[in-house]
Amino acid sequence: MLKSIDPLLNADVLFALRSMGHGDDLVLCDTNFPADAVARQSVLGKLIRIDNVTSARAARAILSVLPLDSFVDKPASRMEVVGQPNEIPKVQGEVQAEIDAAEGRSSPMGSIERFAFYELAKKSYCVIQTGERRFYGCFIFKKGVIPPDAA
């Protein structure tokens, strides 16, 4: 255990988050996502897991240390529901609430069609799979920067 670090952030997750640079993408996915196959094509090249938690709980842990990119319109995106791209399942609403809490303001997610999401995920820095069993618990977060302290 570490002070001020969410206990869900295991060594593999912390290593990946620290290794990412500005503009790198992180995929947070549910248990149904082809996580291992996609992760093998990512920059990190291996799957990372945060087991036994929902996508929202994992997002809270990740966003407690990961800044979202303020230089893009939509630094977080969700996988669209097939045939109903404007539908927001409960799992996505929960993650949106975690994003808004971490950002301290409303920061609506973008949406990505399912197969386009898979292709973007293959180009990501890393893939973190959760224990989320609800469908469409898949997201992409773009890492931002932490500004220098004011002098």
Side-chain angles (χ1 to χ4, degrees), residues 22-25 67-77 103 105 107-110 140-145:
H22 178 225
D24 282 339
D25 289 333
L68 290 177
D69 196 340
S70 62
F71 293 99
V72 297
D73 288 335
K74 303 288 183 186
S77 297
E103 293 295 293
R105 61 180 174 79
S107 181
M109 282 187 277
I140 297 178
F141 298 152
K142 186 172 291 295
K143 186 176 182 180
V145 298

Side-chain angles (χ1 to χ4, degrees), residues 46-108:
K46 67 176 188 169
L47 179 61
I48 303 170
R49 303 184 61 89
I50 300 178
D51 291 318
N52 303 316
V53 297
T54 65
S55 292
R57 180 62 185 93
R60 181 186 321 149
I62 290 165
L63 294 172
S64 73
V65 296
L66 182 83
L68 290 177
D69 196 340
S70 62
F71 293 99
V72 297
D73 288 335
K74 303 288 183 186
S77 297
R78 63 178 180 83
M79 180 188 285
E80 292 178 353
V81 175
V82 174
Q84 297 177 298
N86 296 320
E87 181 181 336
I88 307 294
K90 185 175 179 181
V91 63
Q92 293 182 355
E94 292 170 4
V95 170
Q96 181 65 67
E98 295 297 341
I99 292 166
D100 292 348
E103 293 295 293
R105 61 180 174 79
S106 176
S107 181

